[in-house]
Amino acid sequence: MELQIALLLGQDGITNGAIYALLALALVLVFAVTRVIFIPQGEFVAFGALTLASLQAGKLPGTVWLLLCLGAAIAVLESLRAARERCFRQIPLILLINCAAPLLLAGVLVAFSPATLPLPVQVLLALMLVVPLGPMIYRLAYQPVADLTVLALLIVSVAVHVTLVGIGLLFFGAEGSRTPAFTDASFEIGDTVLQGQTILVLVASALLIVALYLFFERTIYGKALRATAMNRTGARLMGISGTLAGQLSFTLAAAIGALSGILISPLTTIYYDSGFLIGLKGFVGAIIGGLASYPVAAAGAVLVGLLESYSSFWASAFKEVIVFTLIIPVLLWRSLKTRHVEAE
Amino acid sequence: MNAAIDPAEPEIVLDAAGLSVAYGKVTALRDVSLKVRKGEIVTVIGPNGAGKTTLLSALIGLLPVRGELVYLGERQGPGRSVEKLVRQGMTLVPEKRELFAEMSVEDNLLMGAFDRYRAGHRDELETMDQVFDIFPRLRERRQQMAGTLSGGERQMLAMGRALMAKPKLLLLDEPSLGLAPLIIKEIFRTVARLRKTGVAILLVEQNARAALQVADYGYVLETGDLSLAGPSRDLANDPRVIESYLGLGGRG
Ligand SMILES: Nc1ncnc2c1ncn2[C@@H]1O[C@H](COP(=O)(O)OP(=O)(O)OP(=O)(O)O)[C@@H](O)[C@H]1O
Ligand SMILES: [Mg+2]
């Protein structure tokens, strides 16, 4: 292999690896806090990319309808709960958050044609449409069964994943989308050309990772999530409810997923079901970190990206096989190390 | 609640009447009634398996109860939850401490103030200073991971973390468990001093001697039933208590 090709492949691998690393961090976070193996993580990637593409194409993204429906369902459930507990004063707020806010967002999308808005605003709108789906899905699918075993929660995850892929097909159709690059800039270093988008992905991922680190180390809410991951009962006694921690971690995971999708949508064509494979590669990274260690998970994910890139050159037909076979030696190695993640 | 409020009588913080708790079909607490007033230390003593931990877990909402429960003049209904009670100033120092092992002492304390922070208070640093004044040992070890603390320090951290919530009712589950006599003395001295801050304390103990010394009022819990009750001085002189719980030379 020539050096130039090797560098090109490496560049590709690291770019994808950065995205996998973000997803791996989100998976570790969700698992540590809620014990949920978040298979639908990839759907947020696809929804983020496809929502942005719809906005840019001047279409009303299907995620608006999803947001409205989930909001209505939660409003009904929460109002019933409030009525049962005789806390009628909560009901206006419940309706405001779950019905009025999504309606307002939908109204904004209809009133201003998003296709003509500047890119940062489009990205912001896409995030506002996709990120709330995270805590909403937690509320509807996971919160009622939060005390079940890891295996039962995994089954819930599979169901949510299948449902979301179906919804994706319904709303976005079977054809894929690719958004235009955020920047046309490119840099020449020696013989290789560095695409501006590649640099953007790397910088954005690095910034996001630093922001996550600061969130967990410096803010009281970040520490509360870590506390929940360490000791659920202890955290509850401090008033950090499982529900709060769950919603917070799902919000972060959804934001990370949607941002990842938005970042890679100019680099590759995203279909309604593309998220699964992308998420799975993040998952391989997370497994390398034992679903517990953030730095190892991120490093593992970058490794997955590189492996994928080089194997696509040597044996492109087998590139997925090679990546996922990586799991076997990793699992063997981990089981030999016997430092198990406690499943309670 | 009552029309005639006796000014000499401090307000009742917790009023439990006829509480029963069951684990599946096994009843662990039967018809337990007790009161805790503001600024008062009430103790529940009893042997292993009497249901002391069950009582505190039920009070804070970790276990469902049957019976009447009034906290701060408010009857607890179906919406009762740990989170709501914590918000209303009830705090439990659990038997197993339940510290955040891989967090520093400081961060553990900070978590104690989480709910106050969430409710909009921003006084966690001052509160932490007050807690450090109560437990100077914690100040020395503020950067140390909680998991590496000694048993006595762990108990101090668990209590300090609870105090960070500025509780109105502090539930203490066997603070003396597994500690050397000297540390036990120190912990109980601290408990006695807390009374001056106006907090109501419900102290559950096997160490009857130490508990009755510090408490104003006591109950004896035996296999799920309250068998005796009275001012702790009387209890400490009660022959039945002396025989079963204080052993030879028990003199209140
Ligand atoms: N989760 C549980 N499921 C079933 N039974 C339980 C459970 N927890 C406690 N028990 C039973 O309830 C009874 C009271 O237990 P509890 O822990 O309240 O006792 P305790 O007074 O705190 O004892 P100790 O002084 O040893 O801490 C015991 O018989 C115990 O076996
Ligand atoms: Mg106990």
Side-chain angles (χ1 to χ4, degrees):
Chain A
M1 189 185 338
E2 286 173 51
L3 181 67
Q4 198 183 342
I5 296 179
L7 283 176
L8 214 62
L9 290 175
Q11 183 186 325
D12 235 35
I14 289 184
T15 316
N16 288 338
I19 297 292
Y20 301 153
L22 287 177
L23 298 178
L25 294 180
L27 285 164
V28 173
L29 163 69
V30 167
F31 181 74
V33 174
T34 64
R35 300 175 306 128
V36 168
I37 294 176
F38 195 39
I39 298 176
Q41 176 74 58
E43 272 61 75
F44 285 90
V45 178
F47 282 11
L50 294 171
T51 302
L52 182 65
S54 295
L55 287 175
Q56 292 182 340
K59 285 184 276 186
L60 193 62
T63 23
V64 175
W65 302 112
L66 189 55
L67 197 64
L68 289 170
C69 292
L70 295 186
I74 292 173
V76 170
L77 283 178
E78 286 289 315
S79 301
L80 285 177
R81 179 196 54 81
R84 207 172 335 115
E85 291 173 11
R86 321 215 149 273
C87 304
F88 296 104
R89 274 169 303 150
Q90 293 178 359
I91 293 180
L93 187 65
I94 290 170
L95 293 178
L96 187 73
I97 292 174
N98 294 295
C99 296
L103 273 173
L104 187 70
L105 189 56
V108 167
L109 290 181
V110 173
F112 303 88
S113 56
T116 61
L117 294 172
L119 179 69
V121 181
Q122 289 172 340
V123 169
L124 196 68
L125 283 173
L127 288 177
M128 284 168 73
L129 283 168
V130 177
V131 176
L133 298 176
M136 285 173 149
I137 287 169
Y138 178 79
R139 171 67 190 83
L140 290 170
Y142 294 96
Q143 189 179 314
V145 294
D147 294 328
L148 293 186
T149 60
V150 172
L151 183 62
L153 290 171
L154 175 63
I155 294 169
V156 174
S157 279
V158 172
V160 172
H161 159 68
V162 172
T163 313
L164 286 181
V165 171
I167 289 174
L169 177 61
L170 179 71
F171 285 146
F172 296 110
E175 69 271 35
S177 318
R178 191 166 182 157
T179 58
F182 290 4
T183 160
D184 295 327
S186 64
F187 308 89
E188 272 179 52
I189 299 176
D191 289 338
T192 42
V193 180
L194 261 178
Q195 296 297 330
Q197 184 70 29
T198 307
I199 297 177
L200 196 73
V201 169
L202 289 178
V203 171
S205 310
L207 284 180
L208 210 54
I209 288 174
V210 170
L212 279 175
Y213 175 80
L214 291 178
F215 174 72
F216 284 118
E217 289 295 321
R218 299 284 156 81
T219 70
I220 194 165
Y221 279 90
K223 287 174 184 176
L225 281 186
R226 276 170 54 215
T228 308
M230 276 175 224
N231 188 330
R232 226 167 289 275
T233 312
R236 253 193 110 187
L237 291 174
M238 304 297 107
I240 310 165
S241 69
T243 303
L244 173 71
Q247 288 187 342
L248 205 53
S249 54
F250 270 66
T251 307
L252 283 172
I256 291 171
L259 259 175
S260 305
I262 288 170
L263 282 173
I264 52 161
S265 61
L267 295 175
T268 172
T269 307
I270 300 279
Y271 299 85
Y272 72 97
D273 63 350
S274 300
F276 183 59
L277 269 188
I278 300 175
L280 214 52
K281 284 168 195 160
F283 184 68
V284 175
I287 289 288
I288 294 176
L291 278 179
S293 163
Y294 291 94
V296 180
V302 174
L303 181 71
V304 169
L306 286 170
L307 194 65
E308 175 191 36
S309 172
Y310 285 110
S311 58
S312 71
F313 179 77
W314 293 115
S316 68
F318 295 110
K319 91 175 176 177
E320 313 292 13
V321 179
I322 292 174
V323 166
F324 292 121
T325 320
L326 181 64
I327 260 191
I328 295 171
V330 165
L331 287 181
L332 275 176
W333 167 63
R334 290 219 73 90
S335 70
L336 289 177
K337 270 182 57 186
T338 61
R339 199 179 146 268
H340 292 297
V341 181
E342 237 169 85
E344 281 178 57
Chain B
M1 297 267 296
N2 272 328
I5 294 174
D6 184 350
E9 187 91 328
E11 63 174 294
I12 295 177
V13 174
L14 180 76
D15 190 348
L19 287 194
S20 298
V21 179
Y23 292 108
K25 280 193 178 133
V26 186
T27 308
L29 277 185
R30 236 166 283 108
D31 200 19
V32 168
S33 302
L34 53 82
K35 281 190 182 65
V36 187
R37 292 186 171 79
K38 192 164 186 279
E40 187 181 52
I41 301 178
V42 172
T43 185
V44 174
I45 55 176
N48 281 121
K52 305 183 297 295
T53 299
T54 303
L55 172 66
L56 294 192
S57 304
L59 287 177
I60 193 104
L62 286 171
L63 294 172
V65 290
R66 277 186 299 126
E68 188 113 327
L69 199 55
V70 179
Y71 176 58
L72 296 175
E74 199 179 308
R75 250 194 76 181
Q76 301 297 311
R80 191 175 82 105
S81 71
V82 179
E83 291 77 25
K84 279 186 197 164
L85 289 169
V86 167
R87 178 60 58 92
Q88 291 173 57
M90 195 191 284
T91 304
L92 169 66
V93 179
E95 188 173 16
K96 293 188 201 137
R97 323 307 198 219
E98 312 283 8
L99 298 173
F100 307 120
E102 285 154 59
M103 273 187 178
S104 66
V105 165
E106 217 168 30
D107 281 351
N108 268 273
L109 290 177
L110 188 65
M111 287 299 100
F114 176 81
D115 197 62
R116 277 177 63 78
Y117 186 92
R118 201 172 165 217
H121 300 280
R122 291 293 178 271
D123 54 0
E124 66 276 357
L125 293 181
E126 290 142 56
T127 320
M128 201 182 289
D129 245 9
Q130 292 163 11
V131 168
F132 282 148
D133 288 343
I134 298 172
F135 299 108
R137 195 100 59 97
L138 294 182
R139 181 179 272 132
E140 289 164 25
R141 307 192 169 267
R142 57 200 297 170
Q143 301 297 346
Q144 195 174 327
M145 292 294 131
T148 63
L149 293 176
S150 75
E153 289 159 356
R154 251 177 244 204
Q155 180 57 36
M156 290 177 196
L157 180 55
M159 283 175 67
R161 187 179 66 170
L163 292 176
M164 288 295 291
K166 298 202 167 177
K168 295 196 173 75
L169 175 62
L170 185 60
L171 308 174
L172 296 174
D173 197 346
E174 297 208 42
S176 74
L177 191 73
L179 301 185
L182 222 59
I183 309 275
I184 296 181
K185 226 175 197 162
E186 193 178 332
I187 297 271
F188 275 85
R189 220 179 295 134
T190 312
V191 172
R193 252 185 287 142
L194 287 178
R195 184 198 337 240
K196 292 194 202 86
T197 66
V199 61
I201 298 177
L202 181 57
L203 167 69
V204 149
E205 262 298 343
Q206 269 194 66
N207 188 334
R209 189 188 312 272
L212 288 175
Q213 237 165 41
V214 64
D216 303 296
Y217 201 86
Y219 297 88
V220 178
L221 186 65
E222 276 168 345
T223 54
D225 293 293
L226 287 184
S227 56
L228 284 172
S232 29
R233 197 156 324 167
D234 299 355
L235 275 188
N237 292 320
D238 190 303
R240 286 166 294 181
V241 175
I242 293 174
E243 193 189 338
S244 316
Y245 300 104
L246 299 177
L248 294 172
R251 271 173 285 113

